[in-house]
Amino acid sequence: MISMTGHGRGETRTKTWKAVVECHSVNRKTADVSLHCDRSAFWLEPTVRERVLSKIGRGRVQVNLSLSLNEGASESFFDEQRAVAFVEQARNLQRRLGLADDVTLADVLAAPGVMRSSEPSGEAAKNAVMTALDQALKGLLETREHEGAALQKLSQNARTASPLFSKRSPL
């Protein structure tokens, strides 16, 4: 017997990322997944949902996901090579057009592709989350099995102790 209520937690730290995932499940006839996370990690929702549904047949599973940069991890938020290329091209264009103004830092930072998003993306972040999710799902399934065994034992004990389940009739 497997219960539909359970809890599991997983945590993964890579060189750059820290992912923490907690899964809680409650009784429900069908399988349902509810993801709670920061907007910056919401891009992982389809992958997380698919992984949970591959492991859970019934019950409502709430997944709490936290993804952050490790303390001390250096994440470059601009592309220096693109910035240098932009300045060179802009200065060449200024000379060709005979313009006197020079390129400013604000111009460089506003150039397309120079600034990178600080939000997590990519395989490294995804792998950290999926490893933590797998740990959490393993714990969830173990607690569901443990609770199911305990419920089955209680049910068997109740049958043997109750006169309603007795084979002998009181008459």
Side-chain angles (χ1 to χ4, degrees):
M1 174 184 235
I2 295 177
S3 173
M4 281 190 267
T5 61
H7 172 266
R9 184 177 191 282
E11 182 174 327
T12 301
R13 288 179 189 261
T14 66
K15 193 174 185 179
T16 308
W17 299 105
K18 176 184 176 187
V20 178
V21 177
E22 290 191 52
C23 296
H24 307 273
S25 67
V26 293
N27 190 8
R28 189 165 203 166
K29 286 184 180 181
T30 60
D32 180 36
V33 179
S34 173
L35 176 64
H36 298 273
C37 64
D38 295 333
R39 271 191 5 215
S40 61
F42 205 67
W43 61 277
L44 289 164
E45 181 188 17
T47 307
V48 168
R49 183 177 302 280
E50 182 179 316
R51 180 72 55 96
V52 172
L53 291 174
S54 74
K55 305 281 185 186
I56 305 295
R58 286 183 64 186
R60 183 175 196 279
V61 180
Q62 179 177 319
V63 179
N64 298 321
L65 164 63
S66 169
L67 178 64
S68 59
L69 282 172
N70 274 328
E71 196 171 306
S74 61
E75 177 76 2
S76 176
F77 295 107
F78 65 92
D79 188 329
E80 190 172 341
Q81 289 179 332
R82 283 190 181 195
V84 169
F86 172 78
V87 170
E88 288 174 0
Q89 290 174 356
R91 285 186 177 154
N92 286 338
L93 185 60
Q94 283 177 324
R95 279 191 294 272
R96 281 187 28 216
L97 297 176
L99 302 174
D101 289 338
D102 198 18
V103 180
T104 67
L105 180 59
D107 296 331
V108 174
L109 295 177
V114 171
M115 293 300 294
R116 290 194 334 202
S117 171
S118 63
E119 294 183 351
S121 61
E123 284 302 308
K126 179 181 175 182
N127 289 340
V129 167
M130 298 315 282
T131 300
L133 178 61
D134 287 342
Q135 292 171 7
L137 287 171
K138 182 180 179 202
L140 174 71
L141 292 171
E142 287 172 357
T143 59
R144 286 173 67 155
E145 287 177 17
H146 180 72
E147 185 173 326
L151 289 172
Q152 188 170 21
K153 187 176 180 180
L154 281 173
S155 174
Q156 289 170 348
N157 290 343
R159 285 186 186 155
T160 58
S162 172
L164 293 175
F165 292 107
S166 174
K167 290 185 179 181
R168 289 187 285 157
S169 174
L171 298 176

